[in-house]
């Protein structure tokens, strides 16, 4: 049911007539619950078994709702929508429900139940016994974002509920939720596990509790090892392959959740931990053992992976384009048709291969002669640690940009002062890819340039020069910026120097008033005069050597699509030192970055075909800063005269007409 409410980001319910009062009610807390994996269980176990699980689930949830004064608004299949007059009541009901379900799981050996609960507080539109509006949609989306056994709440609910004994709120950061243009900050409700409560009340023996803990520890450790292998997967053709990046983001979230569940003794049981990793186990089976599976087993696993991660990832595995980090290249698939498994090898009697352990590279330790160069020592240490972790490069870059979104706007030699030097492992990896084995000799080469001088100021300069030379950064730095944009946009995103938000009645220019790279403070200038809005908007910037600056354009309240145009100049001359990419209206799917032509580019359909665009301006000169000007033009689409074809729109970036002779 959570997926049905507000599926298009719209407010369902009756439309008020012009001038009529919208039927807003008082403050209400909306609670959504949903069984995790119920559809998969139904397909695997049949309707009869699923119905028994559903009846047990409904009885447990309804009992707790009644106990805490909730009112069931509606149900759909395995989901509940409930209204509470207090935020505390909704939270305590969610905790009691999870505890009751955990107790039910321990009391029998059959199929287990795991639910997710999402809660939001606000003033919805009320008609009769039903509720509508964006706050209801948000509660549904929060529920959809939960994992098995998890309770997530909006910030408003946490603030209204306040402190609750034996309950803790854990900030889970910003989440992109379907139908909401801005990310929402969610908090997880955690509570004292049922096992600990029973032990203190004398209903569980210490020996039984220790046995359960040991079993759970074993399962979680095995799961984390498996998830690490998933994080080490790479796509042989596309390092920024979107479906794999999204899969690895989920794997990282599950790994963190399992680690915290074990260390914080949170309410998670063996079945829930095992269920969390089943899709990842199936993916690794396709990648490593795909050629040995029979048709029936392949079809079962393929369907599970496709449901969880999407068909493109299955296709990549079937075609042998996913590498598990083995020393041998994966065998190419015998068929290239999506959805079909590769043919098994001729000798079907051979035992299936075991999942290979990623070999730890033999990297030299940090050269003590360069330890005093802070930016180098931190970047090299981070690079070494990443190489030994087995984590995929794209996933590691996303994680680093999530912490320091302004990384590429800081010069590497200044990165230690701004506490972002660790993130420059990505530049070291880029250089290593350009010149394999380069990192083993880079310090020696730099010392050769410095005549043996190892003072940090001198050696740091020579290390930088050596990196530029070894990575051919004058020619290849732009490629690295392109790859990072393809990996990080739209999520977790990059820090922007400025942007434009286009609405039907206004244009808002977003700027950074302080001028400091990484400062999150914004200054917004709203233009309402049509002539001012349709004029070209210029952003000027000084881009330091081997750094990049980013800008965005996105629609706000825009019902009429506009045409979007970009042009870049450097020192007054046309330049192509920028990449642009567009987001589709879902804000989750983007085009591949393209090089900005020197004569500019026009992108029709902002607000209809495009949900926004990003520009990444880069300076490939390793020695000198450059002054750039980015011109952004927004134009309403031309209105053709009835019966006449539309005249072509003249771009403001077009060259002037030739002078008459």
């Amino acid at each position: 049911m959570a997926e049905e409410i507000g599926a298009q980001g719209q407010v369902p319910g009756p439309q008020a007539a012009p001038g009529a009062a919208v039927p807003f009610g008082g403050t209400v807390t909306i609670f959504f619950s949903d069984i995790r994996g119920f559809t998969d269980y139904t397909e695997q176990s049949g309707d009869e078994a699923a119905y028994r699980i559903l009846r047990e689930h409904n009885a447990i949830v309804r009992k707790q709702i009644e106990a805490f004064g909730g009112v069931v608004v509606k149900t759909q299949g395995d989901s509940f929508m409930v209204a509470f007059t207090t935020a505390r009541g909704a939270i305590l009901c969610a905790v009691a429900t999870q505890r009751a379900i955990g107790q039910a799981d321990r009391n029998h050996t059959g199929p287990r139940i795991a639910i997710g609960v999402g809660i939001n507080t606000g003033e919805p539109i009320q008609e009769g016994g039903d509720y509508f509006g964006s706050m209801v949609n948000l509660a549904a989306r929060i529920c959809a974002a939960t994992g098995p056994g998890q309770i997530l709440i909006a910030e408003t609910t946490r603030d209204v509920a306040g402190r609750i004994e034996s309950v803790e709120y854990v900030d889970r950061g910003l989440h992109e939720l379907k139908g909401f243009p801005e990310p929402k900050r969610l908090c997880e409700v955690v509570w004292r596990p049922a096992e600990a409560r029973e032990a203190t009340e004398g209903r569980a023996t210490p020996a039984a509790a220790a046995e359960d803990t040991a079993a759970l520890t074993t399962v979680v450790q095995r799961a984390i090892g498996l998830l690490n292998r998933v994080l080490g997967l790479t796509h042989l053709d596309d390092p920024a392959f979107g479906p794999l990046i999204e899969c690895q983001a989920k794997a990282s979230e599950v790994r963190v959740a399992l680690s915290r569940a074990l260390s914080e003794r949170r309410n998670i049981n063996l079945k829930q931990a095992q269920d969390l990793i089943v899709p990842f186990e199936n993916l690794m089976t396709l990648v490593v053992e795909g050629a040995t599976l029979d048709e029936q087993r392949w079809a079962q696993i393929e369907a599970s992976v496709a449901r969880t991660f999407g068909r493109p990832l299955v296709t990549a595995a079937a075609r042998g384009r996913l590498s598990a980090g083995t020393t041998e290249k994966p065998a190419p698939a015998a068929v290239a048709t999506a959805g079909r498994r590769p043919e098994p090898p001729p000798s079907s009697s051979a035992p299936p291969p075991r999942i290979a352990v990623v070999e730890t590279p033999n990297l030299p330790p940090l050269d003590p002669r360069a330890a005093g160069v802070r930016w180098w020592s931190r970047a090299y240490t981070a690079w070494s640690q990443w190489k030994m972790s087995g984590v995929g490069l794209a996933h590691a870059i996303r994680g680093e940009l999530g912490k320091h979104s302004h990384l590429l706007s800081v010069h590497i030699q200044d990165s230690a002062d701004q506490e972002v030097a660790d993130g420059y492992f990505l530049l070291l990896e880029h250089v290593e890819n350009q010149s394999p084995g380069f990192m083993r000799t880079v310090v020696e080469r730099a010392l050769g340039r410095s005549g043996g001088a190892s003072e940090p100021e001198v050696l740091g300069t020579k290390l930088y020069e050596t990196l530029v030379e070894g990575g051919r950064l004058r020619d290849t730095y732009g490629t690295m910026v392109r790859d990072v944009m393809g990996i990080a946009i739209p999520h977790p995103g990059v820090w922007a120097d400025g942007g434009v938000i286009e609405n039907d009645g206004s244009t808002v220019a977003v700027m950074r008033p302080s001028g400091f790279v990484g400062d999150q403070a914004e200054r917004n200038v709203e233009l309402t005069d049509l002539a001012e809005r349709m004029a070209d908007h210029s952003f000027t910037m000084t881009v330091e050597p081997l750094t990049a600056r980013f800008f965005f354009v996105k629609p706000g309240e825009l019902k009429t699509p506009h045409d979007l145009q970009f042009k870049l100049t450097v020192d007054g001359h046309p330049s192509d030192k920028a990449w642009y990419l567009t987001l589709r209206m879902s804000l989750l799917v983007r085009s591949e970055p393209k090089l900005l032509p020197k004569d500019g580019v026009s992108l029709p359909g902002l607000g209809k075909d495009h949900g926004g665009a990003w520009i990444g301006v880069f300076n490939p000169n390793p020695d000198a800063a450059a002054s750039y000007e980015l011109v952004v033009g927004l134009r309403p689409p031309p209105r053709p005269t009835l019966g006449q074809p539309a005249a072509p729109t003249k771009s403001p970036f077009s060259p002037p007409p030739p002078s008459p002779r």
Side-chain angles (χ1 to χ4, degrees):
M1 182 171 63
E3 287 299 321
E4 296 291 331
I5 297 180
Q8 304 300 322
Q10 299 173 347
V11 178
Q15 299 296 316
V22 177
F24 283 102
T27 300
V28 176
T29 297
I30 299 295
F31 164 119
F32 278 93
S33 72
D34 182 73
I35 299 180
R36 305 288 90 169
F38 187 68
T39 301
D40 289 347
Y41 177 78
T42 302
E43 292 183 3
Q44 295 171 4
S45 304
D47 292 340
E48 185 176 349
Y51 180 65
R52 288 197 299 269
I53 286 290
L54 184 61
R55 289 185 60 187
E56 182 179 359
H57 159 264
N58 289 351
I60 292 173
V61 176
R62 286 185 181 277
K63 181 178 180 180
Q64 301 305 325
I65 291 171
E66 181 179 353
F68 287 90
V71 176
V72 177
V73 179
K74 62 183 72 172
T75 63
Q76 181 173 320
D78 59 319
S79 302
F80 277 82
M81 174 182 173
V82 187
F84 288 84
T85 56
T86 68
R88 292 171 63 87
I91 292 173
L92 290 172
C93 179
V95 171
T97 300
Q98 296 287 23
R99 280 177 168 166
I101 287 176
Q103 180 64 44
D105 284 347
R106 286 186 293 275
N107 287 343
H108 62 74
T109 59
R112 309 292 179 90
I113 303 173
I115 71 169
V117 178
I119 302 175
N120 185 32
T121 302
E123 297 181 351
I125 299 171
Q126 183 174 359
E127 185 179 50
D130 208 350
Y131 298 89
F132 309 94
S134 60
M135 72 81 60
V136 178
N137 296 341
L138 179 56
R141 295 301 176 212
I142 294 173
C143 179
T146 60
Q150 190 176 38
I151 303 170
L152 292 178
I153 64 174
E155 278 191 296
T156 52
T157 303
R158 181 195 63 184
D159 294 340
V160 171
R163 183 176 179 180
I164 301 176
E165 185 179 357
S166 76
V167 168
E168 179 184 356
Y169 304 125
V170 180
D171 190 340
R172 294 305 184 203
L174 297 174
H175 289 247
E176 299 281 352
L177 300 177
K178 183 178 179 181
F180 292 87
E182 300 296 332
K184 302 295 183 181
R185 184 172 299 280
L186 303 183
C187 297
E188 183 174 2
V189 175
V190 296
W191 66 96
R192 188 157 51 111
E195 290 86 353
R197 179 173 57 85
E198 291 177 358
T200 59
E201 295 174 0
R203 291 197 294 271
T205 66
E211 183 178 348
D212 289 345
T213 300
L216 181 60
T217 300
T218 300
V219 170
V220 169
Q221 289 174 344
R222 184 178 68 84
I224 290 175
L226 171 73
L227 295 170
N228 286 339
R229 291 196 291 273
V230 173
L231 293 174
L233 288 175
T234 57
H235 194 287
L236 297 179
D237 304 319
D238 181 5
F241 185 56
L244 179 58
I245 292 173
E246 295 301 326
C247 168
Q248 290 176 327
K250 292 179 182 178
S252 180
E253 292 173 0
V254 172
R255 184 176 65 171
V256 171
L258 288 173
S259 299
R260 287 176 174 169
L262 194 60
S263 63
E264 299 172 8
R265 294 290 187 262
R266 283 170 41 202
N267 188 26
I268 187 171
N269 56 43
L270 288 174
K271 180 63 166 58
Q272 292 169 343
Q274 291 166 343
D275 289 345
L276 281 173
I277 63 170
V278 166
F280 301 101
E281 286 181 322
N282 289 337
L283 174 62
M284 291 304 299
T285 299
L286 288 186
V287 172
V288 179
E289 303 179 29
T292 69
L293 301 175
D294 59 43
E295 294 288 347
Q296 182 178 3
R297 179 62 174 153
W298 171 272
Q300 291 173 345
I301 295 178
E302 174 204 45
S304 173
V305 174
R307 281 193 301 269
T308 306
F309 304 122
R311 179 65 57 184
L313 197 62
V314 172
T315 302
R319 293 175 174 172
R321 306 323 297 155
L322 298 183
S323 170
T326 60
T327 55
E328 297 181 359
K329 294 183 179 180
V335 292
T337 305
R340 293 182 58 192
R341 78 173 192 89
E343 294 296 331
S347 177
S348 59
S349 61
R354 301 177 63 184
I355 293 179
V357 178
V358 179
E359 291 189 358
T360 302
N362 183 20
L363 300 176
L366 175 68
D367 193 315
R369 295 173 294 179
V373 182
R374 293 175 58 234
W375 64 265
W376 167 258
S377 61
R378 291 184 57 178
Y380 184 87
T381 300
W383 178 75
S384 301
Q385 291 173 345
W386 165 70
K387 294 289 280 187
M388 292 186 291
S389 72
V391 174
L393 178 61
H395 181 74
I397 289 175
R398 282 167 61 100
E400 201 60 43
L401 268 293
K403 293 186 294 183
H404 304 296
S405 60
H406 61 293
L407 171 65
L408 290 188
S409 298
V410 178
H411 191 268
I412 188 171
Q413 289 182 282
D414 299 326
S415 60
D417 294 334
Q418 298 199 32
E419 300 299 328
V420 297
D422 292 356
Y424 263 108
F425 77 87
L426 63 92
L427 181 63
L428 270 57
E429 176 64 9
H430 173 79
V431 173
E432 179 72 5
N433 286 335
Q434 297 298 317
S435 303
F438 180 78
M439 288 300 151
R440 295 180 179 276
T441 62
V442 59
V443 173
E444 203 64 51
R445 295 187 186 191
L447 287 168
R449 286 174 175 265
S450 69
S454 59
E455 292 82 2
E457 295 79 8
V458 177
L459 183 56
T461 300
K462 299 307 177 182
L463 277 168
Y464 174 71
E465 293 173 357
T466 308
L467 282 177
V468 169
E469 179 186 89
R472 299 184 294 110
L473 294 183
R474 292 179 186 272
D475 300 322
T476 69
Y477 178 74
T479 302
M480 190 194 77
V481 174
R482 178 200 64 191
D483 291 343
V484 172
M485 289 180 65
I487 290 169
I489 296 175
H491 182 73
V494 292
W495 181 80
D497 269 68
V500 174
I501 303 173
E502 185 69 0
N503 304 291
D504 284 317
S506 67
T507 299
V508 178
V510 181
M511 293 170 283
R512 305 292 185 185
S514 71
F516 293 115
V517 169
D519 188 355
Q520 298 299 322
E522 297 179 353
R523 180 169 67 91
N524 296 345
V525 177
E526 185 174 17
L527 305 176
T528 56
D529 180 78
L530 185 60
E532 291 182 340
R533 293 178 59 198
M534 295 302 103
D536 293 340
H537 307 289
S538 297
F539 294 91
T540 59
M541 73 213 85
T542 299
V543 184
E544 296 299 318
L546 295 188
T547 64
R549 298 296 184 91
F550 301 93
F551 299 83
F552 66 87
V553 177
K554 65 180 180 180
E557 298 294 330
L558 187 62
K559 297 180 180 178
T560 303
H562 285 190
D563 293 344
L564 172 63
Q565 298 159 331
F566 294 113
K567 186 172 183 177
L568 183 70
T569 59
V570 56
D571 298 326
H573 302 289
S575 173
D576 61 356
K577 297 300 184 283
W579 302 96
Y580 72 95
L581 62 78
T582 57
L583 303 177
R584 296 182 187 173
M585 287 306 297
S586 68
L587 298 181
L588 296 177
V589 183
R590 47 118 181 107
S591 66
E592 293 302 317
K594 300 178 179 66
L595 197 64
L596 185 70
K598 284 190 175 183
D599 57 354
V601 67
S602 180
L603 303 171
L606 178 68
K608 178 183 177 183
D609 301 320
H610 304 305
W614 281 83
I615 292 282
V617 180
F618 62 91
N619 178 12
N621 188 330
D623 304 317
S627 298
Y628 288 89
E629 180 183 29
L630 176 66
V631 178
V632 180
L634 289 157
R635 306 288 185 270
R639 297 183 177 180
T641 305
L642 186 62
Q644 296 182 0
T649 304
K650 178 177 174 60
S651 168
F653 308 133
S654 300
S659 302
R661 295 185 179 180

